[in-house]
Amino acid sequence: MIKHQIRTESMKKIHDIIEDLHRHVHVVLTRLSDQPIEISELVITPCKKEFAKDFTLVLFGLAKKLRKNPEVLGDELGIALLENQSIQSYEVIKGFLNITMPDTFWLDLVL
């Protein structure tokens, strides 16, 4: 029972943090573009294990809508997220923005 409760609380924290990441990305995209972007258009998932990052933002649909090269869009987003300290680091691989969350992300998750 206690393990289930801890797991449920951890999953809720992860969900909340991903939602917060959605909001940060949405704010940055709104600043970078004159096209309206809905939060529901953002696809953020856990990063594949072969990449040493935490989450992945899929850029293909956004790039098409904004008429930008996915790699250029990824760099613009990554730089802006770094500047406002939403993320620790990023890398763009084709149409994917892979991001590493700050250490405080993980501390908030376990505390």
Side-chain angles (χ1 to χ4, degrees), residues 17-71:
I17 292 168
I18 291 173
E19 288 294 316
D20 193 44
L21 183 57
H22 272 91
R23 285 189 292 277
H24 283 282
V25 171
H26 185 257
V27 167
V28 170
L29 277 171
T30 301
R31 275 189 299 168
L32 293 176
S33 172
D34 56 352
Q35 292 279 357
I37 301 290
E38 299 295 325
I39 287 182
S40 61
E41 295 178 85
L42 304 177
V43 179
I44 299 174
T45 61
C47 197
K48 290 183 177 182
K49 291 182 182 185
E50 59 261 26
F51 302 107
K53 300 293 181 190
D54 299 318
F55 296 102
T56 298
L57 170 64
V58 180
L59 299 170
F60 296 109
L62 296 171
K64 183 176 181 179
K65 182 173 185 172
L66 300 176
R67 295 188 176 122
K68 290 190 175 199
N69 177 301
E71 292 181 24

Side-chain angles (χ1 to χ4, degrees), residues 48 56-60 70 74 91-98:
K48 290 183 177 182
T56 298
L57 170 64
V58 180
L59 299 170
F60 296 109
E91 67 181 347
V92 180
I93 299 178
K94 302 195 187 231
F96 301 95
L97 175 63
N98 298 323

Side-chain angles (χ1 to χ4, degrees), residues 69-84:
N69 177 301
E71 292 181 24
V72 171
L73 178 60
D75 275 328
E76 290 176 353
L77 279 169
I79 290 167
L81 290 168
L82 279 173
E83 286 174 353
N84 72 16

